[in-house]
Amino acid sequence: MASVERKAKKRLSEEKKTESPTKKTETMASDAPKAKKGRFSEEKKTESPSKKTESPNKETETPTKKTESPTKETETPTKKTESPTKETTDKLSPNTLFGMGNPLLDISAVVDKDFLDKYTLKPNDQILAEDKHKELFEEIVKKSKVEYHAGGATQNSIKIAQWMVQEPHKVGTFFGCIGKDDKFGGILKQKAEEAHIDAHYYEQEEKPTGTCAACITGDNRSLVANLSAAECYKKEKHLDLEENWQLVEKAKVYYIAGFFLTVSLESILKVAKHASDNNKLFCLNLSAPFICQFFKDNLMQVMPYVDVLFGNETEAAAFAKELDFETKDIKEIAKKAQALTKVNKKRERIVVLTQGKDKTAMASEKVETFPVLKIDPKDIVDTNGAGDAFVGGFLSGLVQEKPLDQCVKAAHYAANVIIRRAGCTFPEKPDFK
């Protein structure tokens, strides 16, 4: 299994995530108007008062050729879609949104060609760190002017959701593993606090805090991810502790990126079952084709508990192939994924699949498509955080109990903002309306 995991990880710079730069020429955001409360509102009445809603989505990859599907679909963004949440609350509470995943400290710096050559890096690439890259992280900090950000796929999405919501602070809770008393772990905790998320890290001494170096040369970014401590999360050492589990119970919406399926399946299942048993929203991201290909068994153990499934067109194609859907049509894939076995019958599954600059497909009661926000290619700075931002925007709508079409609109807006900037960063406040 170790060799399989290694092969799998080399295909994706893991949590650094999110998407290939060719992917998202997209700046997403649907202009669909507000929907009326309907069937989902009534479903919600059967659920426990402690429950809320979650939001889905994944990152976008290079748009693949799409064929038309016979599946019923609505393309007008004016189409109204119901929210799977209960009646709207006037004010959000802290810890309403819960995320768990692989935390990384993003370290960005401008470097020269000699630096790239020294560590055999390509100008525009995403890789997992090997032994020859061990000194890279310390060297880039010593020799360059660096910027630090709390990163990792799930943590990025929780950050974006908090940014979209603004108040109160700490709406989003995040669990993950870092090194104990190390320099990068201390910076990561500080950056998470600055992002106003309630991060509770499991700190261990075996491995140092995970990092992702963004080596910038001109318009290019070479990403080198060192997962390290992020892969050391232990359910019994952290999630099971009473004070931590109480935070899980406070949440109404849960989000976990598929990358974490390679780290702690038992932790994901405990959270997913809690959400299902209490009619809360559990969201999962396919995250990368290798998750479907090499960790299919883990993925399918969690799938019956998934209320909202996110993915991009490349991940959707890999998922469809592994499950023998016998179609490459994005709308058909969404519909078939939506129909997979589900434990909580009180909620229909929602599947949200992005396609770069092409329309986002969403399956719930029917399949709908939503155009993304247009952007001039010259305004695109960095697409690596677009997928995480899309999910974060969607989650912000879910925790505020917005109709689904408004969740997609928020997702498109967030992705559109992030691709205009370097890294998964954002201005002080959103101007989303």
Side-chain angles (χ1 to χ4, degrees), residues 164-352:
M164 290 284 288
V165 167
Q166 288 286 300
E167 298 287 346
H169 292 169
K170 297 188 176 180
V171 165
T173 307
F174 177 78
F175 284 6
C177 183
I178 65 173
K180 184 175 179 62
D181 299 327
D182 65 27
K183 173 184 175 181
F184 289 148
I187 297 172
L188 180 56
K189 287 189 280 189
Q190 176 190 339
K191 292 301 174 181
E193 185 175 348
E194 290 174 5
H196 306 305
I197 63 174
D198 194 14
H200 293 258
Y201 300 115
Y202 166 48
E203 299 183 39
Q204 47 73 59
E205 297 178 333
E206 280 183 51
K207 292 187 178 181
T209 298
T211 49
C212 182
C215 307
I216 303 168
T217 52
D219 294 332
N220 296 315
R221 288 163 59 86
S222 187
L223 305 177
V224 186
N226 179 26
L227 304 182
S228 201
E231 299 183 292
C232 298
Y233 190 83
K234 298 288 188 292
K235 169 179 169 289
E236 64 279 6
K237 296 285 186 68
H238 193 257
L239 185 66
D240 290 345
L241 300 184
E242 183 179 356
E243 62 269 26
N244 290 333
W245 187 249
Q246 286 176 351
L247 291 170
V248 176
E249 293 179 319
K250 285 180 69 176
K252 310 300 176 67
V253 177
Y254 303 82
Y255 173 68
I256 297 174
F259 295 119
F260 203 58
L261 288 165
T262 72
V263 174
S264 186
L265 174 63
E266 60 275 18
S267 295
I268 298 175
L269 286 171
K270 181 172 183 177
V271 171
K273 288 175 181 177
H274 168 77
S276 180
D277 291 346
N278 293 277
N279 196 27
K280 300 178 182 181
L281 277 171
F282 179 77
C283 309
L284 183 75
N285 203 316
L286 293 175
S287 291
F290 81 81
I291 297 296
C292 306
Q293 295 161 347
F294 298 103
F295 297 92
K296 176 184 173 183
D297 289 346
N298 288 8
L299 175 62
M300 297 316 293
Q301 284 186 58
V302 176
M303 193 58 64
Y305 303 100
V306 176
D307 295 300
V308 183
L309 180 67
F310 294 104
N312 62 36
E313 74 276 30
T314 306
E315 297 149 9
F319 184 67
K321 182 178 180 181
E322 292 298 321
L323 270 66
D324 298 321
F325 282 175
E326 297 183 342
T327 181
K328 294 182 179 180
D329 182 83
I330 199 76
K331 297 182 294 295
E332 281 294 330
I333 293 172
K335 193 62 180 173
K336 286 178 179 288
Q338 193 265 344
L340 292 171
T341 301
K342 193 169 183 297
V343 172
N344 181 9
K345 306 296 184 184
K346 295 176 183 177
R347 297 179 183 278
E348 280 195 281
R349 179 179 291 117
I350 300 157
V351 179
V352 185

Side-chain angles (χ1 to χ4, degrees), residues 389-403:
F390 180 96
V391 174
F394 201 104
L395 292 173
S396 74
L398 285 181
V399 297
Q400 294 178 89
E401 303 176 351
K402 302 291 186 183

